[in-house]
Amino acid sequence: MTNNNTIINTTSDTLEAKIEALKDLEAFAEEVKQEIDSLKDCIKAEMLAQDTDEMTVGKYIVRWTSVLSNRFDSTTFKREHADMYKQYTKQTSSRRFSIA
């Protein structure tokens, strides 16, 4: 007969191992992201030095262009039209996953 505490401990140990693996992978992903950002910054610096927004490097075409977009300024709208903001705001529900 299996002891319930043994089952709980085994499950807890398994979950703890998964959480540790997750934490390790997240740390690795952050390191990789930083390396990616660093490489992009080096390429951008070279493009700035050459005063260009497009260049051909071997088989690659690299573009670093300005993009204009229009975005709704909800902060200002909320401040200046609070009643209307409330009228068109709807509450949503979501779930947040975190490990402390």
Side-chain angles (χ1 to χ4, degrees):
M1 182 167 207
T2 306
N3 184 331
N4 281 343
N5 287 338
T6 304
I7 293 172
I8 291 171
N9 287 340
T10 302
T11 301
S12 178
D13 292 345
T14 302
L15 273 178
E16 187 173 3
K18 288 180 180 182
I19 290 168
E20 288 172 359
L22 175 62
K23 291 289 192 182
D24 289 344
L25 287 171
E26 287 175 337
F28 179 68
E30 182 58 32
E31 289 175 28
V32 170
K33 183 187 177 309
Q34 289 176 3
E35 183 67 21
I36 289 169
D37 290 344
S38 176
L39 290 170
K40 285 181 179 180
D41 289 344
C42 289
I43 295 167
K44 291 174 187 177
E46 181 60 31
M47 294 178 82
L48 281 173
Q50 293 186 24
D51 193 30
T52 185
D53 58 1
E54 182 176 309
M55 58 194 255
T56 301
V57 181
K59 61 183 178 180
Y60 302 101
I61 298 173
V62 183
R63 293 181 184 92
W64 185 31
T65 56
S66 297
V67 178
L68 297 176
S69 60
N70 294 312
R71 299 186 187 232
F72 186 73
D73 184 356
S74 61
T75 303
T76 302
F77 185 80
K78 181 179 180 181
R79 184 177 57 245
E80 294 179 4
H81 305 284
D83 291 338
M84 191 179 292
Y85 178 82
K86 288 177 187 173
Q87 181 181 351
Y88 288 96
T89 303
K90 70 177 184 176
Q91 190 174 50
T92 61
S93 174
S94 64
R95 296 175 70 177
R96 180 176 295 143
F97 179 77
S98 64
I99 299 172

